[in-house]
Amino acid sequence: MGKSKQEKFILWFGEVRIEDVPFVGGKNAALGEMYQELVPLGIHVPNGFAITSYAYRYFLEKAGLAKQIKEALRGLNTRDMKDLQGRGKAVRQIILKAELPAELQKEITQAYEKLGKRLGVAVRSSATAEDLPGASFAGQQETYLNVVGGKAVLQAVKKAMASLFTDRAISYRVDKGFSHFDVALSVGVQEMVRSDKASSGVMFTIDTETGFDKVVIINSSYGLGEMVVQGKVTPDEFVVFKPVLEQANKGILEKDLGAKKQKMIYAEKGIKKVQVPERARKKFSLTDEEVLQLARWGVAIEKHFSAKHSRQEPMDIEWAKDGLSKKLYIVQARPETVHATAEKNVYKEYRLKEKKVPLVIGMAVGTKIATGKARLIEHAKNIGNFQKGEILVTEITDPDWEPIMKIASAIVTDKGGRTSHAAIVSRELGIPAIVGTGGSTKKLRTGKTITVDCSSGDEGMVYAGAAKFKIIEHKLDKVPETKTHVMVNIGAPDEAFKNAYLPVQGVGLGRLEFIINSYIKIHPNALINYKKLNGKVKKQIDALVGGYADKTQFYVDKLAEGIAKIGAAFWPHEVIIRFSDFKTNEYRQLIGGELYEPVEQNPMLGWRGASRYYDKRFRDAFGLECEALEKVREEMGLENITPMVPFCRTPEEGKKVLALMEEHGLSRKQDESLRVYVMCEIPSNVIRADEFLEIFDGMSIGSNDLTQLALGLDRDSGIGRTIANENELTVKHMVEMVIAKCREKGKYVGICGQAPSDYPEFTKFLIERGIESISLNPDAVMPTIMQIAKLEKEN
């Protein structure tokens, strides 16, 4: 009769299931589960075997190590860095100096020879208590890549076992209340994928910053994956939308080109770092097809593990592409532990109360704000200087830094991306981090008070001094349902995933201006006429547009990515995207803007909105906006996007714009699901509402401009401020007329101006007149829903 699993030294992936965590640890159990269940579905997982926790304990017992280790750790103070470092080293030496039992050596060597079809193997630790909700042991132990030959494998196995007692692992177990002897180590030995000749990286089946669960985030760089996992390279990043993945070639919302300056490749024995050629850096390290295949695999893996655990289980996955076979492989998968344990019913919103000029800018990790004294540390050997509550400023972190990271109030690094070590650990600790700043170690000084602000989307800012901020708590289970649709106004796409939690029924106003200003920064005509340009403007464009041969495609792609993020965040609800409504003075601020924009005395009343779109000086640029919207609806599969035309002075103008939209692929004849709205913000929109509603599918009231034009005011001027109020009777009469006309014709009518956010009595008026939807700024959504519910009850 054969041995049971708990008495075996070696278990092959084909023998292991997720229930076997006590025998093979979290990583190996997940690999075995995928190898058995998901390989038959077409997901590639390299074969391998696990050296069991029984083998680890057998080694400790046979070599008499447990007593020595206990003695070495007696009286340990994990807050004393020198004490921790000295004792950790002593324990590792005890294990490394001991000989593996001969019978264990024999079985490991035989299993390696049976597996050894490749140049080398990956030897990875797999702790029996890792990847539990609330206790992610990711990165606590070591990984050894391209290990070649039986002797080298035995040495790597012993090193992996010793790494159960790295300083950070000892400290982490003490903090989490685990005994050092309750946790055992299994070691995985897996075929190496030749990603040194291709690319590799990580994938999350959730947005790691906001917990938005309808996307897959893929990071990719050239060479072996450790560079991405350790955050030592800025990778390419892809955002893929889950709900449309089953449709052919649809789902990629965003692609960001990373610097990818270095890669890790095989050396004769082991690995080495080399520079990536300039040409390769300017290309994406994955094709669109490969991105979609990985995303589909990620969704399948999440679905499988969610079914196993009877709850949604977002996954943190490592993948690699083999440069010889050109095949993709999944090499690790574990539960994403940060959002799994987050309180789902309460949303805390951090909001800065004052505007400041940032000292440094980087990628935001999380959505919080923190203040504290900066502590600049260049090397891990100096972490003993760090004081609790300080803000850690350094070039990059790795697991050796964890003992001080957990007592930091925030972290700022020069290097790394959203999946770097600093980012992963700060998420787990629930502290804000800003990574990839490029120069924080040169600009920030030890002892100076700073504020780390991650509350404003993808970009994180570091400010001098203690900036004032507030925390707003939202209880999501106490939100009543309303007959009036409550929607949200979204400016920057970075805010979309963060605000997706809001109990709204879509987006009443998404502004293209934010995308153009923040992501593109270039006047569209300068891109259209790029070949005719020279000098400073051309250099500025080259610096931003990078690898795009077709400069106008850059404009279309970046617009589409911004629109798509907003559309995905609030899917399947309607998302109304307004075509660009810059005035001439605002367009002049863009790179190349002065070449194409006239100087107007009153731009607010000048060349803006519809009159701009069909003008021969701008019609090609408007065509690019249409192409971006069409790309989002058709290529990305987000049919919940509805375009809206602003500042349309006459129905005749409206017809010209609709004809141009049709020319550029936005045709209601070809696409029955497409609707087109017009802004109601000029008295002519009210007076000729019947005619406008003959050609458009609805109206969205822009109360700011309507107030300005109805009362003959300039809202950019402080004069007349006392009467510039939507509660003025003229404005209310106009709003009332538009609502009545739209309802009479069965057309959409909403409001997206500031008035309902500012004036509760105006909201009451809108409800009484039967408005279909009210769109608000994010901070006004929760209180206004409560008010609407009360008003509806009263009526």
Side-chain angles (χ1 to χ4, degrees):
M1 198 172 160
K3 290 179 182 176
S4 65
K5 278 184 182 177
Q6 56 260 50
E7 296 172 310
K8 285 186 174 182
F9 290 152
I10 301 288
L11 288 172
W12 287 85
F13 290 168
E15 302 174 271
V16 172
R17 301 299 292 263
I18 196 66
E19 295 81 10
D20 295 324
V21 170
F23 314 128
V24 296
K27 285 192 192 79
N28 288 335
L31 279 167
E33 181 75 24
M34 290 191 295
Y35 192 80
Q36 290 195 57
E37 294 290 329
L38 300 178
V39 168
L41 303 180
I43 295 174
H44 305 146
V45 180
N47 194 14
F49 60 88
I51 298 155
T52 62
S53 57
Y54 171 71
Y56 166 80
R57 289 194 166 108
Y58 184 86
F59 167 42
L60 258 59
E61 189 185 327
K62 280 281 184 181
L65 303 183
K67 190 177 177 185
Q68 294 178 59
I69 292 169
K70 278 180 185 171
E71 193 56 41
L73 293 174
R74 193 185 307 280
L76 166 70
N77 176 10
T78 58
R79 303 285 167 181
D80 181 337
M81 294 303 146
K82 285 179 182 169
D83 186 42
L84 175 61
Q85 288 166 346
R87 290 168 184 266
K89 186 177 180 181
V91 173
R92 294 192 294 278
Q93 286 303 312
I94 289 167
I95 295 170
L96 290 171
K97 283 177 183 173
E99 189 80 10
L100 287 169
E103 55 274 37
L104 179 54
Q105 289 191 41
K106 183 182 174 185
E107 283 204 35
I108 293 170
T109 306
Q110 285 175 345
Y112 166 70
E113 285 169 0
K114 188 177 173 184
L115 180 67
K117 302 168 186 172
R118 290 176 178 264
L119 180 65
V121 291
V123 178
R124 289 189 175 91
S125 62
S126 181
T128 56
E130 70 184 348
D131 301 326
L132 304 173
S136 170
F137 282 64
Q140 294 292 324
Q141 286 81 45
E142 302 293 352
T143 294
Y144 303 92
L145 301 175
N146 192 30
V147 182
V148 183
K151 278 188 180 176
V153 168
L154 289 172
Q155 187 62 20
V157 166
K158 205 157 57 161
K159 282 182 182 175
M161 289 178 172
S163 77
L164 188 60
F165 292 92
T166 57
D167 302 345
R168 72 247 183 192
I170 294 168
S171 171
Y172 195 92
R173 285 194 293 274
V174 169
D175 280 359
K176 292 289 180 182
F178 287 92
S179 158
H180 298 299
F181 296 93
D182 285 347
V183 179
L185 198 84
S186 166
V187 180
V189 179
Q190 187 180 36
E191 292 178 338
M192 279 288 287
V193 176
R194 290 303 303 269
S195 60
D196 64 313
K197 292 184 175 290
S199 54
S200 58
V202 295
M203 163 168 61
F204 289 90
T205 63
I206 193 169
D207 178 54
T208 49
E209 307 318 319
T210 61
F212 180 62
D213 61 5
K214 289 189 176 72
V215 288
V216 177
I217 311 290
I218 298 170
N219 279 194
S220 170
S221 195
Y222 297 118
L224 305 179
E226 288 303 292
M227 294 288 280
V228 178
V229 173
Q230 293 171 12
K232 291 183 177 174
V233 66
T234 304
D236 298 331
E237 183 166 284
F238 306 90
V239 181
V240 186
F241 188 45
K242 292 179 189 175
V244 300
L245 261 178
E246 295 312 310
Q247 299 176 39
N249 302 319
K250 289 186 180 179
I252 300 176
L253 301 181
E254 186 174 22
K255 300 196 301 188
D256 283 322
L257 193 69
K260 309 185 295 291
K261 289 180 181 175
Q262 286 185 312
K263 66 176 177 176
M264 198 179 271
I265 61 168
Y266 288 167
E268 191 177 327
K269 282 190 179 178
I271 51 178
K272 66 178 181 180
K273 289 178 195 171
V274 296
Q275 294 297 307
V276 174
E278 189 72 32
R279 239 173 105 189
R281 292 181 201 176
K282 290 183 176 177
K283 288 182 180 175
F284 285 106
S285 47
L286 284 175
T287 66
D288 287 1
E289 197 178 315
E290 288 165 342
V291 169
L292 291 170
Q293 183 176 336
L294 280 174
R296 289 188 193 103
W297 285 1
V299 170
I301 293 166
E302 179 186 71
K303 193 174 175 184
H304 178 81
F305 283 98
S306 296
K308 290 288 287 190
H309 295 116
S310 303
R311 64 172 184 269
Q312 188 177 7
E313 188 96 294
M315 299 298 288
D316 168 357
I317 298 162
E318 290 180 32
W319 62 270
K321 180 184 174 183
D322 194 302
L324 302 177
S325 69
K326 310 299 181 195
K327 286 183 179 177
L328 293 165
Y329 289 87
I330 301 298
V331 295
Q332 266 195 58
R334 62 180 77 84
E336 190 278 340
T337 54
V338 177
H339 293 286
T341 56
E343 170 62 73
K344 299 289 190 286
N345 179 42
V346 177
Y347 179 83
K348 284 185 182 175
E349 186 184 353
Y350 285 70
R351 198 174 304 147
L352 207 63
K353 290 167 80 173
E354 54 185 322
K355 290 273 184 191
K356 292 189 128 192
V357 177
L359 299 172
V360 293
I361 298 172
M363 286 181 266
V365 177
T367 57
K368 295 181 179 177
I369 302 173
T371 62
K373 285 188 176 175
R375 171 74 65 174
L376 177 59
I377 298 183
E378 291 180 3
H379 304 289
K381 64 183 182 187
N382 299 324
I383 62 176
N385 299 328
F386 194 81
Q387 303 296 311
K388 186 175 181 180
E390 290 181 331
I391 293 172
L392 173 62
V393 180
T394 188
E395 184 182 25
I396 195 165
T397 68
D398 62 35
D400 289 330
W401 295 72
E402 285 178 31
I404 64 165
M405 292 170 83
K406 68 189 178 208
I407 58 170
S409 59
I411 297 165
V412 183
T413 67
D414 286 349
K415 294 180 179 176
R418 292 183 205 290
T419 53
S420 64
H421 177 265
I424 290 167
V425 172
S426 62
R427 277 186 211 107
E428 185 194 332
L429 295 172
I431 61 173
I434 300 176
V435 297
T437 61
S440 56
T441 52
K442 291 184 175 69
K443 293 176 184 172
L444 305 177
R445 292 282 168 266
T446 294
K448 296 285 185 185
T449 298
I450 57 172
T451 299
V452 171
D453 175 17
C454 293
S455 68
S456 304
D458 283 357
E459 277 194 334
M461 318 275 184
V462 179
Y463 302 108
K468 292 176 184 172
F469 66 93
K470 60 182 176 179
I471 305 169
I472 303 161
E473 261 196 22
H474 302 294
K475 295 261 198 238
L476 300 180
D477 62 344
K478 295 188 175 168
V479 180
E481 284 190 22
T482 59
K483 290 176 190 170
T484 309
H485 290 182
V486 175
M487 301 172 88
V488 66
N489 298 334
I490 294 288
D494 296 348
E495 296 173 5
F497 290 175
K498 186 179 83 170
N499 288 307
Y501 79 95
L502 286 169
V504 294
Q505 290 164 294
V507 174
L509 178 64
R511 304 175 179 96
L512 284 198
E513 303 89 80
F514 279 85
I515 305 170
I516 296 166
N517 211 22
S518 303
Y519 293 79
I520 298 171
K521 301 175 183 172
I522 305 162
H523 195 288
N525 282 340
L527 293 169
I528 291 166
N529 298 307
Y530 173 78
K531 288 180 181 173
K532 297 176 187 173
L533 298 173
N534 50 43
K536 184 183 170 188
V537 171
K538 199 165 192 174
K539 280 182 184 171
Q540 287 176 301
I541 292 173
D542 289 341
L544 287 170
V545 175
Y548 276 87
D550 180 351
K551 307 304 177 192
T552 58
Q553 194 58 48
F554 168 79
Y555 193 82
V556 171
D557 287 353
K558 289 298 160 195
L559 269 184
E561 286 173 5
I563 295 164
K565 279 183 94 168
I566 300 171
F570 297 93
W571 171 276
H573 297 300
E574 185 172 48
V575 169
I576 301 168
I577 299 291
R578 184 178 71 189
F579 286 116
S580 65
D581 193 25
F582 273 144
K583 290 80 180 169
T584 46
N585 59 325
E586 293 164 331
Y587 261 122
R588 283 176 69 83
Q589 301 303 312
L590 299 173
I591 293 167
E594 289 183 4
L595 301 173
Y596 304 102
E597 297 294 328
V599 175
E600 296 184 295
Q601 291 305 309
N602 193 338
M604 188 69 79
L605 300 178
W607 194 35
R608 61 178 285 204
S611 63
R612 176 180 275 273
Y613 305 154
Y614 60 83
D615 189 302
K616 65 182 181 185
R617 293 171 292 173
F618 197 80
R619 59 186 296 148
D620 290 343
F622 177 66
L624 299 180
E625 294 184 27
C626 296
E627 285 170 33
L629 274 152
E630 199 252 352
K631 180 177 180 175
V632 174
R633 285 181 57 88
E634 296 301 319
E635 287 183 35
M636 298 179 176
L638 288 155
E639 292 185 353
N640 60 326
I641 299 291
T642 298
M644 180 161 69
V645 179
F647 223 76
C648 187
R649 292 172 169 97
T650 67
E652 290 74 26
E653 274 198 326
K655 286 173 184 172
K656 287 178 183 176
V657 172
L658 288 167
L660 261 178
M661 288 172 65
E662 207 161 304
E663 269 181 48
H664 290 280
L666 291 172
S667 168
R668 287 179 292 181
K669 292 172 193 166
Q670 306 291 325
D671 181 358
E672 289 182 9
S673 70
L674 176 65
R675 302 201 290 177
V676 184
Y677 298 152
V678 66
M679 290 284 288
C680 175
E681 52 193 339
I682 308 169
S684 61
N685 300 142
V686 181
I687 295 161
R688 299 181 71 182
D690 282 322
E691 294 170 79
F692 278 104
L693 291 169
E694 285 299 314
I695 59 170
F696 288 104
D697 299 300
M699 284 184 153
S700 180
I701 300 162
S703 58
N704 299 356
D705 268 342
L706 189 59
T707 302
Q708 168 183 242
L709 296 170
L711 299 176
L713 297 168
D714 177 356
R715 65 183 170 109
D716 282 349
S717 165
I719 299 167
R721 193 170 57 230
T722 53
I723 54 166
N725 185 322
E726 285 84 346
N727 285 310
E728 205 282 330
L729 279 177
T730 310
V731 181
K732 288 174 89 170
H733 281 319
M734 287 189 161
V735 170
E736 187 173 31
M737 286 165 64
V738 169
I739 295 172
K741 281 288 181 193
C742 289
R743 291 184 69 86
E744 179 192 313
K745 292 185 177 291
K747 299 284 180 97
Y748 168 83
V749 61
I751 187 165
C752 59
Q754 187 66 24
S757 302
D758 290 345
Y759 306 115
E761 66 274 27
F762 192 77
T763 304
K764 183 173 187 287
F765 160 75
L766 292 170
I767 301 297
E768 288 169 350
R769 296 306 179 273
I771 193 112
E772 186 177 332
S773 81
I774 295 176
S775 194
L776 306 149
N777 294 334
D779 59 343
V781 165
M782 303 300 274
T784 308
I785 286 178
M786 299 302 182
Q787 185 201 357
I788 290 171
K790 189 181 173 195
L791 289 168
E792 287 181 348
K793 196 175 178 183
E794 288 169 3
N795 286 335

